Amino acid sequence: MKKLLLSSIIVIIGITFLGRLSYLQIFSFSPDQVLEDPAIKRVYDYPERGYIYDRNGKLLVGNDPAYDVMVIPREVRELDTLELCGLLKIDKEKFKKELRKARIYSPRLPSVFVPQLSKEDYAKLQEKMRHYRGFYIQKRSLRYYDTNSAANVLGYISEVNERDLAKNPYYVQGELTGRTGVEKVYEDILRGRKGVQYIQKDRFNRDIGPYKNGTLDTLPEQGFEINVTIDKDLQEYGEKLMVGKWGGIVAIEPATGEILSMISGPTYDPSLLVGRKRSANYSKLHYDSISKPTFDRSISFEKSPGSPFKAINALIALQEGAITPSTTFTCHHGFFIGRSKKGCHCGGGTRTLNNGIYKSCNAYFVGAYKKLFEQFPSNSEAMDAWEKHVRSFGLGSYLGSDLYTGRPGSVPSTELYNKWYGVGDKRWSATTTYSNAIGQGEVNVTPIQLANMTAAIANRGFFFTPHVLKKIDGKEISIPDFVEPKHTTIDKRHFEPVIQGMADVYHKGTAQYIQIPDIEIAGKTGTVENYIKIDSVKTQLTDNSVFVAFAPVENPTIAIAVYIQNGYYGSRYAGHIASLMIEKYIKREVTRKDLEKRMLERTLEREYAKPYSGKEFKINEYDWSQDANKFHAEKAESLSE
């Protein structure tokens, strides 16, 4: 009986142990337990990152193979440090630093020791890796750029930092993530999903085979390829025209809100931020505090819009009944604010809406702005209505695009002026805020906002949210925010007289010498006063050149805004570039070789150097004036052809 009882107890205990072991092995297993087991090694298999193509299927970004040297600190044994340092092209201090960093992260988990070996270095190192216990080579892919443009749009990838690791448990130290641009915004789509292999080790720390016969292993899933809305040819051409110039260019397809081109000048070759020299190259670019090549002027450069904003004021005045297309104002080569006369370069005379636009008459639009305020019982109500209309064009907001960063610009309000001047109609008025009428003062915009505003005019009263994503894995996107039109507060009937005025800017106005044969373009020039502080003193620099346009006038396919710092008057630099880019996009070639030659050969570097020269300087010195007759003769000859 005792033997039977003892046998029963042994059997019960055995069954209990077996049951508990089965529960732990089968039902209570989690991948985290594998990570905690020092007898199991985890090896990642990284997929290729998704390729990026332009709107026409042309490759922008692909992949090249790369090789990381990995280290597991607890497995490192005595080795020839100098030999390994020589093969890795690092010094002994760097070796110690990286090993210490890996130990702090985890003594038993792999860390990147030296990233992104070249193919040549990999070939030399591979045959000797068996001599370096604790080190191994892991293959992955690096970005390859099939263009030297669009760095601000595409962005770049870099190694995850502590903040990334804390925010997203998917990543481990040494992995790469999108840092800016499309690479960041669409990181989850592009990166794919890494595969994992679990390797069982014996008590001597030797690999003995797959853990659980590989049942827990996963295969990598390649990232999706995407098409962006950028036109590769247009982007590259625009960046050529921008060499030696600072500013931003944005071109949009009005019918969809797709961004055709987004240029920031100066810029850089995106391939500079790939490979082992990425960090050094980035530091050089980032700490260039004068030209700021990493600052995306196309979406973050906030300045006064200048005369292109007159089109918005015309539409608001028409909508509120303050003017009609035949309303006239007289320009006395300027206008008066109290007893102070403000200038105008339109030539003076009686102005209607049409010639007020194409001659860019300041007096006309200040008069219309005052008339607008007269339509309301109080200045605050007039300002509220004006602000509502302005904001309906997407100004004063981030626009809700899929761009990584940007600035909202600014639209003044009743609240702002009450804060500045006090509450009450006698404290401030249209006269106080007249700068709003001509696109100066408290109105600030970015190039992308100007382009979107122009697209809304081209569409006769609505726009689509600007965006850069077109397709995912070959399939057109249908994101509600991108495909639903946003309507302005202006009735459609008011757009035609304004658009006719903008078309006449090219026919007989401030852009008549930069017409493009066989393309009907509507545009608006702008010349914006430009100030900075030098040694805490407000100092005027050469004016900024601004130009907006869309084409063709009927059924437009492109709306563009060009903003050139220190670029003199509107048609000079910005207007030239806008006309050339419109022709390049619509015709796929350029016939105005005279305009092209001028933009490719001339730079504004002398202007940008003035504030840092330590010498007195003059502004708005037109270096083309000496051959003005020849310049205009060339235009006339080109147009006659």
Side-chain angles (χ1 to χ4, degrees):
M1 188 68 181
K2 287 183 179 180
K3 287 183 180 181
L4 181 61
L5 180 61
L6 183 60
S7 298
S8 299
I9 292 172
I10 292 172
V11 169
I12 291 171
I13 292 173
I15 292 172
T16 302
F17 272 113
L18 286 172
R20 180 60 178 169
L21 184 61
S22 298
Y23 174 80
L24 291 173
Q25 290 283 322
I26 299 172
F27 300 105
S28 186
F29 171 78
S30 76
D32 290 338
Q33 289 176 306
V34 176
L35 304 183
E36 295 166 4
D37 191 336
I40 300 170
K41 181 172 74 174
R42 176 179 50 174
V43 178
Y44 289 118
D45 187 1
Y46 290 98
E48 273 204 283
R49 198 169 175 88
Y51 283 37
I52 302 176
Y53 298 89
D54 86 334
R55 65 187 296 106
N56 300 311
K58 294 183 178 180
L59 179 65
L60 292 170
V61 189
N63 298 306
D64 267 343
Y67 308 91
D68 292 344
V69 177
M70 309 295 292
V71 64
I72 302 175
R74 70 193 297 266
E75 297 181 12
V76 174
R77 299 293 182 265
E78 287 189 13
L79 52 86
D80 188 337
T81 306
L82 291 178
E83 181 186 47
L84 182 55
C85 286
L87 290 168
L88 296 176
K89 296 181 180 178
I90 61 174
D91 57 33
K92 196 170 182 178
E93 287 304 313
K94 174 75 171 176
F95 181 94
K96 291 178 179 178
K97 178 184 176 183
E98 292 302 320
L99 191 57
R100 185 165 55 249
K101 179 181 173 182
R103 282 199 182 99
I104 292 172
Y105 171 66
S106 174
R108 57 187 179 78
L109 295 179
S111 297
V112 174
F113 189 72
V114 174
Q116 304 166 14
L117 293 181
S118 67
K119 294 177 184 177
E120 294 75 19
D121 291 339
Y122 165 71
K124 294 175 185 176
L125 185 63
Q126 185 184 30
E127 59 188 40
K128 294 193 175 185
M129 282 305 291
R130 66 182 186 278
H131 300 306
Y132 310 121
R133 291 279 301 277
F135 293 88
Y136 67 94
I137 296 176
Q138 180 168 272
K139 183 180 178 181
R140 69 169 76 202
S141 60
L142 285 183
R143 283 318 218 180
Y144 155 74
Y145 293 92
D146 200 43
T147 180
N148 58 4
S149 69
N152 61 314
V153 182
L154 300 172
Y156 67 94
I157 60 175
S158 67
E159 193 172 319
V160 293
N161 54 35
E162 294 299 327
R163 188 166 57 252
D164 299 320
L165 294 172
K167 185 178 179 181
N168 192 336
Y170 171 84
Y171 298 105
V172 297
Q173 190 175 35
E175 293 184 346
L176 302 173
T177 186
R179 192 59 66 195
T180 62
V182 169
E183 295 279 20
K184 179 178 178 65
V185 175
Y186 296 109
E187 163 71 8
D188 291 349
I189 295 170
L190 290 167
R191 78 180 178 204
R193 181 158 290 276
K194 62 195 173 194
V196 185
Q197 289 180 298
Y198 298 102
I199 308 298
Q200 181 75 56
K201 294 185 172 190
D202 63 14
R203 62 192 183 94
F204 298 108
N205 209 33
R206 296 174 300 197
D207 294 352
I208 57 175
Y211 177 67
K212 286 186 173 291
N213 294 318
T215 56
L216 301 178
D217 295 352
T218 59
L219 293 173
E221 298 175 15
Q222 184 167 338
F224 289 111
E225 66 179 41
I226 66 172
N227 289 74
V228 293
T229 61
I230 297 296
D231 183 302
K232 181 180 180 181
D233 294 340
L234 185 67
Q235 181 79 18
E236 291 177 346
Y237 182 64
E239 290 195 13
K240 278 185 180 180
L241 298 176
M242 280 293 286
V243 171
K245 307 166 189 74
W246 297 1
I249 304 172
V250 177
I252 294 173
E253 184 178 64
T256 61
E258 293 178 358
I259 297 174
L260 306 172
S261 179
M262 198 169 86
I263 296 166
S264 178
T267 187
Y268 57 92
D269 187 330
S271 64
L272 288 174
L273 299 186
V274 176
R276 294 177 67 178
K277 293 184 179 180
R278 188 203 70 81
S279 182
N281 288 338
Y282 179 80
S283 294
K284 185 177 179 181
L285 294 167
H286 181 71
Y287 291 107
D288 180 350
S289 59
I290 296 177
S291 62
K292 301 178 182 177
T294 60
F295 175 61
D296 189 350
R297 288 169 168 86
S298 67
I299 56 177
S300 298
F301 183 68
E302 294 174 301
K303 286 289 181 179
S304 298
S307 292
F309 191 69
K310 291 173 181 175
I312 300 301
N313 277 319
L315 290 166
I316 295 171
L318 289 167
Q319 179 70 27
E320 294 296 342
I323 63 169
T324 68
S326 59
T327 300
T328 62
F329 295 94
T330 301
C331 177
H332 302 282
H333 299 281
F335 57 95
F336 287 89
I337 298 296
R339 295 182 178 179
S340 175
K341 186 176 182 180
K342 307 298 180 182
C344 180
H345 302 290
C346 76
T350 301
R351 297 283 173 254
T352 63
L353 175 63
N354 181 260
N355 62 18
I357 291 174
Y358 76 71
K359 286 183 176 289
S360 199
C361 177
N362 289 342
Y364 181 90
F365 287 96
V366 170
Y369 185 70
K370 289 179 179 179
K371 282 276 190 181
L372 171 67
F373 271 63
E374 292 171 5
Q375 305 302 305
F376 293 88
S378 67
N379 292 330
S380 60
E381 289 176 80
M383 179 53 63
D384 289 344
W386 179 86
E387 181 193 2
K388 179 189 71 174
H389 289 309
V390 171
R391 288 187 179 277
S392 75
F393 285 83
L395 302 181
S397 76
Y398 288 98
L399 292 173
S401 70
D402 57 348
L403 304 171
Y404 164 62
T405 184
R407 296 292 302 160
S410 60
V411 177
S413 62
T414 296
E415 183 181 2
L416 175 69
Y417 292 128
N418 282 343
K419 183 179 179 180
W420 282 8
Y421 302 113
V423 179
D425 269 16
K426 294 183 178 180
R427 306 304 294 268
W428 58 271
S429 65
T431 301
T432 316
T433 63
Y434 80 91
S435 290
N436 293 332
I438 54 176
Q440 298 272 181
E442 292 73 58
V443 180
N444 283 296
V445 299
T446 60
I448 192 173
Q449 290 174 328
L450 273 178
N452 185 69
M453 177 194 86
T454 308
I457 296 173
N459 287 334
R460 281 68 171 173
F462 64 91
F463 64 89
F464 295 91
T465 299
H467 56 280
V468 294
L469 182 64
K470 186 171 179 65
K471 296 179 182 178
I472 299 175
D473 204 29
K475 299 175 183 176
E476 293 277 351
I477 63 164
S478 184
I479 299 173
D481 282 347
F482 296 165
V483 299
E484 294 175 2
K486 282 76 178 172
H487 292 273
T488 70
T489 54
I490 308 298
D491 294 341
K492 184 178 180 179
R493 61 191 174 92
H494 295 308
F495 284 87
E496 289 308 323
V498 172
I499 289 172
Q500 184 57 56
M502 294 176 69
D504 285 339
V505 167
Y506 269 91
H507 294 152
K508 51 189 175 181
T510 51
Q512 59 183 303
Y513 296 115
I514 56 174
Q515 292 182 54
I516 300 299
D518 304 319
I519 301 179
E520 278 291 307
I521 308 176
K524 186 70 193 76
T525 56
T527 304
V528 180
E529 291 182 342
N530 182 20
Y531 294 88
I532 65 167
K533 283 191 175 182
I534 301 177
D535 297 328
S536 301
V537 177
K538 186 179 181 181
T539 306
Q540 187 170 10
L541 302 180
T542 293
D543 295 337
N544 293 329
S545 174
V546 190
F547 199 88
V548 302
F550 63 88
V553 172
E554 301 298 329
N555 301 314
T557 57
I558 180 172
I560 189 168
V562 183
Y563 206 115
I564 306 297
Q565 294 175 243
N566 306 59
Y568 299 86
Y569 52 89
S571 63
R572 180 166 170 179
Y573 278 94
H576 277 57
I577 291 171
S579 290
L580 288 167
M581 290 189 68
I582 286 172
E583 183 175 31
K584 178 71 171 177
Y585 181 69
I586 293 177
K587 294 183 177 179
R588 310 311 293 180
E589 63 177 355
V590 172
T591 61
R592 286 300 305 269
K593 296 296 183 181
D594 57 324
L595 302 185
E596 182 182 61
K597 183 174 185 291
R598 196 168 288 113
M599 288 300 99
L600 292 176
E601 291 180 354
R602 295 188 180 269
T603 78
L604 290 164
E605 290 170 352
R606 183 171 62 90
E607 290 294 336
Y608 303 135
K610 285 179 180 179
Y612 307 99
S613 66
K615 302 175 183 178
E616 291 187 7
F617 56 85
K618 295 181 180 180
I619 63 170
N620 297 325
E621 293 182 295
Y622 302 135
D623 56 356
W624 290 356
S625 60
Q626 59 185 354
D627 60 350
N629 292 331
K630 180 182 177 184
F631 173 64
H632 293 306
E634 288 174 353
K635 300 290 185 302
E637 181 181 354
S638 175
L639 291 174
S640 66
E641 291 174 354

